[in-house]
Amino acid sequence: MGKEYKFPDGFWWGSASSAPQMEGASNEDGKGMNIYDYWYAKEPERFYNKVGPDVATDFYHRYKEDIKLMKEIGHNSFRTSISWSRLIPNGVGEINEKAVDFYNNVIDEMIANGIEPFINLFHFDMPLELQKKGGWENRDVVEAYANYAKTCFELFGNKVKMWFTFNEPIVPAAEGYLYGVHYPNIVDFKRAIQVAYNTVLAQAKAIKAFRELKIKDAKIGVILNLYPIYPRSNHPADLKAAKIADLLFNRSFLDPSIKGEYPTELIELLEEYNLLPFVEKEDKELIKNNVIDILGVNYYQPKRVKAKEHLPNPHSPIMPEWFFDYYEMPGRRMNVYRGWEIYEKGIYDVLMRIKNEYGNIPCFVSENGMGVQDEERFIKNGIIQDDYRIEFIKEHLKWVHKAIEEGCNVKGYHVWTFIDNWSWINAFKNRYGLVSLDLKTLKRTIKKSGYWYKELSQNNGFVD
Ligand code: BG6
């Protein structure tokens, strides 16, 4: 008999996904275009195997079957997002009643099956009409988001008690405006910072609207992709590299979301390089007064950094990597398909930091998971035998358990993800689901990990 890992009563077991990654029906029932629908129409070759978001997992038509499956594999909670461009096709103005019906049906179906809906308002999918107006760079879009958020609270607040302003708000800023990976494929640090700042502002405005509505028993939070950042050594230059990476990748959203203000060191760094965003005087107060109730932590991999080996080319566009180099730790373990390091203790380090430095705010693991290519090769007796995924989840949960034992306020664990879903430029390359999806027939089959997850949830823990 191994060690027993029991979790606190009422622990959330479930998974996370998002509207653009599962709904499909991207041009149905009055939905407007978002930037991914548009980008795919324009440049399909940028997406793995040229597969776009038009069908995704077809959740729009199959939500009943999927919610039943969620229940079957032990979900007591599930996060998805509302598609802004489905609900308000132009981003502002008229509400699409068919979308209201759809989200009401999904929420009702979840509740009827004992699955608490966690609803996120934005998962990278800016309505195209608003992107045309400058997207997050434009303050009118910040206002439009606050109105959209208020509309969602008014429409669904009587049933949804767990709300999230953004999933990984750093991603549209960094991947869209700094590294050129996501739409609109721009490389400009200063503009990326403006985007990041404006999303923090948008969040504060949404939280203000949320508080004013005084929705009974409801909580609002944000979901951040947080990284434990490990320096190569204790040399002051390596430590400085790690400190800057932390300011840029963690504290840029953590501090304003929880403490209501930006770290002074971050402001000084941006000032020194002429990267400060445009702000209005009243923003500071707004951000200060509108902080979150709960934090979702997405954790996949750590960042390891070292002092720069070479001076950056002074004529190149300034990047975060002007301040540090990435460090490949000898012996690190990799998920070779995704190219991400697997380091389970990282989740503990992040959670303990939230406890020690951020007032032990209630939090939960909102994403953690393993994307693997060509999983059909593991099929035996018709089921994908994904023991590696079970192992991955178990090893992370051991560290989550330790953090809880040491007083960290962790409320739950959500896997990424319920069913193999569509993912941005990688489309269906890496499969993350507890349930597999046959892309040709859209047939759903529970994987070995799905059956295991059911036991995990039923026992509120595991023995290992
Ligand atoms: C998170 C996102 O960053 O990681 C998801 O919230 C994403 O949208 C997931 O799908 C896995 O990453 P990827 O790029 O392998 O799909």
Side-chain angles (χ1 to χ4, degrees):
M1 184 87 176
K3 179 171 171 189
E4 187 177 23
Y5 297 87
K6 264 269 178 230
F7 287 80
D9 286 346
F11 205 66
W12 300 322
W13 297 108
S15 63
S17 186
S18 72
Q21 294 180 268
M22 56 180 213
E23 283 179 8
S26 66
N27 193 19
E28 259 177 69
D29 286 349
K31 180 179 168 302
M33 265 198 169
N34 65 37
I35 52 174
Y36 280 89
D37 303 324
Y38 174 73
W39 189 22
Y40 177 63
K42 218 174 72 168
E43 291 185 278
E45 66 281 3
R46 297 288 292 261
F47 298 80
Y48 185 75
N49 280 346
K50 296 192 186 165
V51 176
D54 40 341
V55 178
T57 71
D58 201 28
F59 183 76
Y60 191 75
H61 299 114
R62 294 168 197 251
Y63 66 90
K64 283 198 175 157
E65 180 188 350
D66 281 351
I67 291 169
K68 223 157 99 205
L69 272 174
M70 285 173 199
K71 184 178 179 182
E72 208 175 315
I73 59 171
H75 282 45
N76 60 26
S77 45
F78 176 68
R79 166 167 60 105
T80 185
S81 65
I82 290 175
S83 157
W84 185 353
S85 60
R86 185 180 298 286
L87 191 68
I88 308 177
N90 289 323
V92 287
E94 216 170 304
I95 295 175
N96 173 7
E97 288 306 327
K98 292 223 162 131
V100 177
D101 290 346
F102 170 67
Y103 290 116
N104 267 320
N105 291 341
V106 167
I107 292 164
D108 291 345
E109 192 72 18
M110 283 172 66
I111 293 172
N113 280 281
I115 299 172
E116 183 167 4
F118 285 28
I119 300 295
N120 170 36
L121 295 171
F122 190 89
H123 202 120
F124 312 167
D125 52 341
M126 176 63 76
L128 180 63
E129 289 308 313
L130 296 182
Q131 187 66 39
K132 285 187 192 160
K133 295 181 181 152
W136 288 118
E137 288 180 278
N138 181 348
R139 278 196 169 228
D140 292 345
V141 172
V142 172
E143 278 315 314
Y145 169 85
N147 283 328
Y148 153 66
K150 184 162 180 255
T151 304
C152 292
F153 304 145
E154 285 168 348
L155 284 170
F156 311 114
N158 57 338
K159 332 183 195 183
V160 175
K161 301 300 167 199
M162 292 297 293
W163 289 94
F164 297 92
T165 54
F166 286 93
N167 174 78
E168 304 189 348
I170 201 169
V171 168
E175 301 302 325
Y177 289 83
L178 179 59
Y179 296 115
V181 177
H182 283 189
Y183 197 77
N185 314 111
I186 286 164
V187 176
D188 188 325
F189 204 169
K190 197 172 165 86
R191 288 176 68 183
I193 285 166
Q194 189 69 59
V195 166
Y197 177 76
N198 284 0
T199 47
V200 165
L201 197 60
Q203 163 166 291
K205 285 186 189 243
I207 294 178
K208 184 164 183 273
F210 181 85
R211 305 270 181 242
E212 281 165 5
L213 288 170
K214 296 196 170 56
I215 311 170
K216 203 165 162 271
D217 299 328
K219 300 249 179 292
I220 191 158
V222 66
I223 287 152
L224 300 180
N225 46 325
L226 297 177
Y227 303 90
I229 298 183
Y230 304 117
R232 168 183 55 180
S233 76
N234 281 332
H235 187 282
D238 284 343
L239 294 177
K240 188 171 174 205
K243 187 166 181 163
I244 293 182
D246 183 44
L247 285 170
L248 293 172
F249 293 114
N250 289 323
R251 297 189 62 193
S252 52
F253 283 90
L254 252 182
D255 284 42
S257 296
I258 299 177
K259 298 183 173 170
E261 58 192 16
Y262 284 95
T264 317
E265 298 105 302
L266 178 61
I267 298 171
E268 283 168 2
L269 178 79
L270 299 184
E271 197 167 18
E272 192 183 334
Y273 289 87
N274 191 27
L275 291 169
L276 281 177
F278 168 80
V279 305
E280 296 273 15
K281 231 177 57 223
E282 62 272 20
D283 296 354
K284 201 170 175 190
E285 186 82 0
L286 190 86
I287 293 170
K288 183 85 208 166
N289 292 335
N290 294 288
V291 294
I292 56 166
D293 303 317
I294 179 153
L295 176 72
V297 176
N298 289 357
Y299 174 71
Y300 292 90
Q301 56 168 344
K303 280 190 195 292
R304 299 187 190 276
V305 300
K306 61 182 180 185
K308 285 205 73 67
E309 300 285 345
H310 306 286
L311 290 175
N313 170 2
H315 307 295
S316 65
I318 181 169
M319 294 298 244
E321 292 74 17
W322 273 32
F323 304 102
F324 56 82
D325 281 344
Y326 283 108
Y327 170 59
E328 288 187 12
M329 183 182 74
R332 66 184 184 154
R333 264 180 316 133
M334 296 295 288
N335 168 1
V336 289
Y337 311 101
R338 189 59 181 84
W340 286 350
E341 182 180 343
I342 299 177
Y343 184 67
E344 298 91 349
K345 178 173 178 283
I347 204 166
Y348 166 84
D349 289 336
V350 169
L351 293 172
M352 290 310 283
R353 181 182 196 190
I354 300 305
K355 171 175 182 257
N356 295 327
E357 295 173 37
Y358 292 89
N360 207 11
I361 184 172
C363 64
F364 71 114
V365 178
S366 42
E367 280 184 34
N368 177 232
M370 189 181 185
V372 171
Q373 231 174 316
D374 304 325
E375 280 196 310
E376 308 78 53
R377 67 200 143 115
F378 303 116
I379 294 181
K380 224 193 266 160
N381 307 324
I383 290 176
I384 293 175
Q385 309 289 324
D386 53 346
D387 294 273
Y388 45 83
R389 181 165 291 110
I390 297 172
E391 204 55 27
F392 181 99
I393 297 174
K394 244 198 243 172
E395 293 307 312
H396 282 84
L397 279 174
K398 287 180 187 172
W399 285 105
V400 174
H401 189 267
K402 183 170 160 63
I404 295 172
E405 275 183 336
E406 292 174 23
C408 190
N409 207 354
V410 189
K411 305 285 186 199
Y413 175 89
H414 281 179
V415 185
W416 186 270
T417 176
F418 158 63
I419 190 168
D420 296 338
N421 62 17
W422 182 82
S423 163
W424 323 114
I425 55 174
N426 282 331
F428 285 101
K429 176 169 169 270
N430 302 308
R431 305 304 181 91
Y432 284 87
L434 299 171
V435 174
S436 69
L437 179 72
D438 182 320
L439 289 192
K440 286 200 193 88
T441 61
L442 297 177
K443 184 169 178 265
R444 284 95 161 112
T445 311
I446 299 175
K447 299 181 193 173
K448 186 173 176 184
S449 59
Y451 291 107
W452 177 81
Y453 204 74
K454 179 191 182 138
E455 268 175 49
L456 170 73
S457 160
Q458 275 174 350
N459 299 330
N460 201 27
F462 63 98
V463 176
D464 196 48

